[in-house]
């Protein structure tokens, strides 16, 4: 009977530790998501302000609307991740790779920050060194999140000048992404 009590006590301790770890993982995730959500929301707000001005040409207005839509789609993806907390808690958050035009994805992410860059008086340059239509098998949502963090932080901490965002191929399967302020 003593061994049974010890075994039950140990099992309870293990379950308690698992619950504590799950709670910590959820807290880390929510803290990360609050940062992740603010950046696209700020971009959308910037585009709406830009669209409400009468200074845009029809072509610029059309581009701003397209970028607002792309940023909103990215935001929806992040919200979907938040709603999948049970997968994250169990460590089963899935990577969803698909064939993607890497240059186009990078350019769209850069353009989603145009309004913020203009607001700060900073030039934002997308200088990809990839061949046109370079397609890779990648989780688009994860890569968008990474680029959003990099570009958002670069703009946040750059006071003047230019932020350059780019990518180049290092090897057959590896890429080098960079964000630099000049």
């Amino acid at each position: 009977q003593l061994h049974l009590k010890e075994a039950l006590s140990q099992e309870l301790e293990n379950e308690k530790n698992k619950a504590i770890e799950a709670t910590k993982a959820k807290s880390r995730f929510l803290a990360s998501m609050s940062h992740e959500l603010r950046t696209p929301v700020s971009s959308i707000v910037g585009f709406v302000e830009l669209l409400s001005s009468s200074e845009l040409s029809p072509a610029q207005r059309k581009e701003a609307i397209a970028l607002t839509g792309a940023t909103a789609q990215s935001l929806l993806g992040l919200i979907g991740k938040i709603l999948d907390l049970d997968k994250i808690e169990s460590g089963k958050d899935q990577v969803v790779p698909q064939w993607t035009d890497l240059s186009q994805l990078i350019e769209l992410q850069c353009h989603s920050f145009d309004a913020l860059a203009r607001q700060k008086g900073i030039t934002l340059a997308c200088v990809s060194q990839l061949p046109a239509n370079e397609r890779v098998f990648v989780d688009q949502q994860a890569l968008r999140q990474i680029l959003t963090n990099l570009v958002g932080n670069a703009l946040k901490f750059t006071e003047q000048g230019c932020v350059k965002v780019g990518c180049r191929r290092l090897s057959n399967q590896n890429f080098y992404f960079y964000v630099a302020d000049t």
Side-chain angles (χ1 to χ4, degrees), residues 85-155:
L85 272 177
D86 59 325
K87 289 180 185 175
I88 291 159
E89 285 177 342
S90 66
K92 296 179 181 173
D93 190 24
Q94 294 182 345
V95 174
V96 185
Q98 57 192 18
W99 287 105
T100 304
D101 182 330
L102 196 52
S103 293
Q104 185 179 34
L105 186 140
I106 294 167
E107 193 171 315
L108 277 172
Q109 284 308 108
C110 284
H111 283 311
S112 70
F113 287 95
D114 282 347
L116 180 61
R118 264 190 231 119
Q119 219 173 31
K120 287 191 74 173
I122 296 171
T123 302
L124 179 60
C126 186
V127 289
S128 180
Q129 299 173 6
L130 300 173
N133 301 318
E134 174 86 25
R135 297 181 60 77
V136 295
F137 200 58
V138 66
D139 183 328
Q140 286 184 8
Q141 187 62 37
L143 185 53
R144 278 190 191 106
Q145 271 184 258
I146 291 166
L147 290 169
T148 295
N149 287 344
L150 290 172
V151 177
N153 285 336
L155 288 173

Side-chain angles (χ1 to χ4, degrees), residues 71-83:
T71 304
Q73 287 296 327
S74 178
L75 183 58
L76 281 174
L78 289 172
I79 291 169
K81 289 247 182 208
I82 292 170
L83 297 176

Side-chain angles (χ1 to χ4, degrees), residues 14-110:
N14 289 343
E15 291 302 316
K16 176 183 157 193
N17 288 338
K18 285 181 186 176
I20 289 170
E21 284 304 311
T23 300
K24 286 179 183 178
K26 187 187 295 186
S27 294
R28 284 190 304 269
F29 175 76
L30 290 174
S32 171
M33 280 296 115
S34 74
H35 173 74
E36 303 285 341
L37 291 170
R38 284 187 175 116
T39 303
V41 168
S42 295
S43 291
I44 292 169
V45 169
F47 281 125
V48 168
E49 289 173 3
L50 189 63
L51 287 166
S52 67
S53 77
S54 59
E55 301 169 11
L56 296 177
S57 70
Q60 289 172 320
R61 189 173 297 279
K62 186 176 180 179
E63 181 183 11
I65 290 169
L67 291 171
T68 303
T71 304
Q73 287 296 327
S74 178
L75 183 58
L76 281 174
L78 289 172
I79 291 169
K81 289 247 182 208
I82 292 170
L83 297 176
D84 285 339
L85 272 177
D86 59 325
K87 289 180 185 175
I88 291 159
E89 285 177 342
S90 66
K92 296 179 181 173
D93 190 24
Q94 294 182 345
V95 174
V96 185
Q98 57 192 18
W99 287 105
T100 304
D101 182 330
L102 196 52
S103 293
Q104 185 179 34
L105 186 140
I106 294 167
E107 193 171 315
L108 277 172
Q109 284 308 108
C110 284

